[in-house]
């Protein structure tokens, strides 16, 4: 249930990021206009409720899930709800501090209206089409009785595999991350959207490859639990992202005071959550495609 919900959300985030970066690449979103990028991202995110609902519903049906109402509601409300709650708390702190960065109440209401008025109905529509479609066909029939999993070596156990899986994708976004954090927290302009788009593509490829490789290893070791593992393997990049953000906080920023610290980590948590869903989804779909591919070629008696 949770997996299909996360994947729906992740698809939504993926398409949003792709289009936003693509537009920024072509020069539609000027870095001089501070809010352009965020506005574009939020509007796209609201409009892309349909693919989220569709993917989530279709996968849930493939897993043989029955509670489709819960599935749709969770897809529409779970992750945006967490992000919004976090955002609202940050805003409360800003209000209390009397900061000019606080978002006026009207804007919050407008965002809520966009979320419930546009995004949620679109998710419902997507889910409706997702459930009307037949479940995704598996290339081979699975055995009714689950097999005994043999003793695993250290590298094919779940935890080390997941921890290793996050290193490669993180390595390729590491330098860009420094510049992005600078542009958020140290008021430096960020101009290299073309380069960022390239790094984004590389991130996609690395996530997919790392996940597929690790998945292949543990399938060879006869461990067939790949659903959650493929999601978490590439999703673990987000944990490295968080560790890096903490390092950045202590080494680069001179932030004193509880409010500022809470703000920094609050916004970092939003970034990490979004990134987790995003990378996890890429890893999962790469793996899903790979497993389908190898098993559709296998000759089964």
């Amino acid at each position: 249930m949770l997996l299909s919900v996360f994947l729906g959300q992740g698809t939504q985030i993926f398409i949003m990021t792709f289009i936003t970066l693509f537009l920024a690449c072509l020069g539609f979103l000027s870095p001089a206009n501070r809010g352009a990028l965020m506005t574009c991202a939020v509007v796209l995110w609201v409009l892309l409720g349909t693919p989220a609902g569709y993917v989530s519903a279709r996968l849930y049906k493939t897993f043989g899930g029955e509670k489709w109402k819960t599935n749709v509601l969770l897809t529409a409300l779970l992750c945006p709800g967490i992000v919004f709650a976090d955002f609202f708390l940050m805003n409360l702190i800003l209000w209390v501090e009397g900061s000019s960065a606080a978002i006026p109440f009207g804007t919050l209401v407008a965002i809520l209206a966009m979320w419930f008025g546009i995004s949620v109905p679109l998710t419902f529509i997507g889910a409706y089409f997702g459930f009307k479609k037949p479940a995704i066909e598996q290339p081979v029939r699975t055995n009714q009785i689950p097999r005994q999993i043999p003793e695993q070596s250290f590298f094919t156990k779940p935890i080390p595999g997941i921890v290793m899986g996050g290193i490669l994708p993180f390595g390729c976004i590491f330098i860009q991350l420094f510049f992005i954090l600078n542009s958020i927290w140290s008021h430096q302009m960020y101009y290299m959207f073309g380069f960022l788009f390239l790094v984004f593509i590389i991130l996609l490829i690395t996530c997919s490859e790392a996940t597929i490789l690790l998945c292949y290893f543990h399938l060879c070791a006869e461990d067939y639990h790949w659903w959650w593992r493929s999601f978490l393997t590439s999703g673990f990049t987000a944990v490295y992202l968080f560790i890096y953000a903490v390092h950045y906080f202590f080494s680069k920023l001179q932030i004193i005071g509880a409010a500022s610290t809470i703000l920094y980590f609050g916004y970092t948590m939003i970034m990490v959550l979004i990134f987790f869903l995003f990378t996890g989804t890429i890893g999962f779909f790469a793996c899903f495609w790979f497993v389908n591919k190898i098993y559709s070629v296998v000759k089964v008696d």
Side-chain angles (χ1 to χ4, degrees):
M1 170 65 117
L2 205 57
L3 185 64
S4 52
V5 169
F6 277 173
L7 288 169
Q9 295 283 338
T11 314
Q12 189 173 6
I13 291 166
F14 167 64
I15 302 174
M16 173 195 89
T17 322
F18 187 80
I19 299 178
T20 310
L21 281 176
F22 190 65
L23 289 177
C25 245
L26 297 177
F28 286 126
L29 307 168
S30 111
N33 179 1
R34 283 305 294 247
L37 199 69
M38 275 309 292
T39 313
C40 175
V42 168
V43 168
L44 276 171
W45 185 85
V46 165
L47 294 177
L48 286 171
T50 316
Y54 177 78
V55 168
S56 176
R58 187 93 191 264
L59 277 160
Y60 189 56
K61 193 172 174 183
T62 306
F63 290 140
E66 297 294 321
K67 308 195 192 93
W68 59 273
K69 286 175 185 156
T70 327
N71 173 269
V72 183
L73 280 173
L74 275 176
T75 309
L77 305 179
L78 180 70
C79 300
I82 296 171
V83 170
F84 188 80
D86 192 329
F87 192 67
F88 187 70
L89 277 173
M90 296 301 114
N91 225 28
L92 274 180
I93 294 169
L94 284 173
W95 268 335
V96 172
E97 295 287 318
S99 156
S100 60
I103 291 179
F105 187 68
T107 316
L108 274 179
V109 173
I111 292 178
L112 269 178
M114 272 167 72
W115 176 24
F116 282 112
I118 305 173
S119 185
V120 174
L122 281 177
T123 313
F124 280 153
I125 294 169
Y128 172 73
F129 284 117
F131 278 119
K132 285 200 66 167
K133 280 272 165 105
I136 303 166
E137 281 294 313
Q138 314 294 358
V140 287
R141 278 186 313 118
T142 47
N143 201 354
Q144 288 303 314
I145 307 141
R147 283 179 56 176
Q148 190 68 34
I149 297 176
E151 187 60 42
Q152 299 291 319
S153 73
F154 176 73
F155 291 107
T156 49
K157 284 201 176 82
I159 309 289
I162 288 171
V163 173
M164 283 188 305
I167 297 174
L168 276 169
F170 179 71
C172 70
I173 56 160
F174 173 71
I175 305 195
Q176 288 302 306
L177 195 61
F178 175 72
F179 289 119
I180 291 172
L181 285 176
N182 267 351
S183 76
I184 298 176
W185 303 111
S186 308
H187 296 292
Q188 294 170 1
M189 280 297 184
Y190 188 82
Y191 288 112
M192 304 183 287
F193 286 119
F195 196 61
L196 185 65
F197 189 65
L198 222 121
V199 170
F200 174 73
I201 302 294
I202 297 173
L203 173 70
L204 285 185
I205 297 167
T206 337
C207 272
S208 324
E209 286 184 347
T211 314
I212 286 177
L213 193 69
L214 285 162
C215 175
Y216 179 68
F217 282 153
H218 76 74
L219 282 178
C220 282
E222 298 192 23
D223 182 357
Y224 47 83
H225 296 301
W226 64 274
W227 297 96
W228 266 109
R229 253 174 90 164
S230 60
F231 188 84
L232 293 174
T233 302
S234 55
F236 203 79
T237 318
V239 178
Y240 290 113
L241 178 77
F242 181 67
I243 295 169
Y244 182 73
V246 174
H247 162 75
Y248 180 85
F249 177 78
F250 286 117
S251 66
K252 295 281 185 295
L253 301 175
Q254 283 81 40
I255 288 185
I256 311 130
S260 309
T261 313
I262 295 173
L263 278 178
Y264 177 80
F265 284 109
Y267 284 128
T268 305
M269 285 318 288
I270 293 183
M271 257 166 53
V272 167
L273 175 73
I274 288 176
F275 198 74
F276 168 71
L277 289 174
F278 167 73
T279 44
T281 305
I282 298 165
F284 176 83
F285 278 119
C287 222
F288 189 64
W289 173 82
F290 171 72
V291 171
N292 265 345
K293 203 82 190 140
I294 55 176
Y295 280 107
S296 57
V297 184
V298 164
K299 291 273 182 291
V300 181
D301 301 332

